[in-house]
């Protein structure tokens, strides 16, 4: 065996599929746990989740991930005897929307954040958002002060943060 049990998991150090599994990031583990819960026939135990993930994770690791997901309101749990049964609170789209709301809620200037988000959308995403909001395709006479100005034309090349903060345009150089 090359590298031994304490060797790095980087490129060139793997000796094959039977060696130590690659290190997963926290976000990846959360996604895997959520995927397992979404495939579950109903509320399931942490041991059930651990088994579905291949059993290479410690039970305590699975519990930690489930607890973190519960704090993020991504999963719910119900008492089942002396333990808990878990279920996904939403699908992937719902969880992404929850994360987006949490980021927005953490910002002091919601209007500025939303304006920057909208101006950074691709033309296709902008059309989709308009459809979802029931807005007309052509924003003639847009009422907002610059957030949607030019919507539908030229938004593809913009990047979030490329425009100055509202009210910071004049004399904020340097």
């Amino acid at each position: 065996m090359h590298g031994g049990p304490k060797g790095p998991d980087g490129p060139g150090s793997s000796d094959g599929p039977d060696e130590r599994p690659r290190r997963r990031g926290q976000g990846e583990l959360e996604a895997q746990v959520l995927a397992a819960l979404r495939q579950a026939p109903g509320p399931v135990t942490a041991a059930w989740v651990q088994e579905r993930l291949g059993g290479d994770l410690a039970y305590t690791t699975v519990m930690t991930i489930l607890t973190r997901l519960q704090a993020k309101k991504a999963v719910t749990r119900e008492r089942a005897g002396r333990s808990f049964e878990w279920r996904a609170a939403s699908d992937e789209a719902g969880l992404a929307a929850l994360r987006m709301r949490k980021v927005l809620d953490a910002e002091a200037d919601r209007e500025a954040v939303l304006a920057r988000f909208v101006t950074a959308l691709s033309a296709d995403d902008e059309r989709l958002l308009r459809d979802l909001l029931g807005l007309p395709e052509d924003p003639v006479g847009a009422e907002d002060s610059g957030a949607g100005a030019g919507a539908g034309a030229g938004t593809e090349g913009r990047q979030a943060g490329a425009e100055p903060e509202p009210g910071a345009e004049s004399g904020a150089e340097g």
Side-chain angles (χ1 to χ4, degrees):
M1 283 209 259
H2 298 87
K6 294 190 180 202
D9 289 335
S13 66
S14 176
D15 290 324
D18 294 332
E19 290 299 312
R20 209 166 103 199
R22 70 174 181 78
R23 183 166 171 81
R24 291 176 278 210
Q26 177 183 335
E28 186 178 349
L29 280 174
E30 288 181 357
Q32 290 173 347
V33 167
L34 284 169
L37 288 174
R38 281 193 296 275
Q39 295 170 359
V44 294
T45 64
W48 185 94
V49 173
Q50 180 188 26
E51 183 181 313
R52 292 309 175 280
L53 297 178
D56 64 330
L57 291 176
Y59 179 83
T60 54
T61 301
V62 174
M63 283 299 299
T64 298
I65 297 298
L66 286 166
T67 303
R68 287 179 182 167
L69 289 169
Q70 182 191 22
K72 296 177 182 182
K73 299 185 178 163
V75 302
T76 60
R77 70 179 185 184
E78 301 169 0
R79 179 65 77 176
R82 293 178 51 183
S83 63
F84 291 101
E85 291 184 330
W86 305 82
R87 79 167 60 219
S90 185
D91 60 6
E92 285 185 55
L95 294 171
L98 176 65
R99 287 191 302 271
M100 292 168 69
R101 280 193 307 273
K102 288 177 90 170
V103 168
L104 185 59
D105 289 345
E107 296 298 323
D109 191 348
R110 290 177 80 90
E111 184 176 351
V113 173
L114 284 170
R116 296 262 177 118
F117 177 75
V118 170
T119 58
L121 291 175
S122 69
D124 288 342
D125 286 343
E126 185 178 330
R127 272 191 295 280
L128 177 58
L129 182 58
R130 287 185 174 285
D131 289 346
L132 291 170
L133 293 173
L135 298 174
E137 184 68 29
D138 184 32
V140 175
E143 297 173 15
D144 54 4
S145 60
T155 58
E156 283 135 289
R158 292 190 201 155
Q159 294 188 17
E163 296 180 1
E165 291 281 333
E169 296 90 19
S170 57
E173 299 173 7

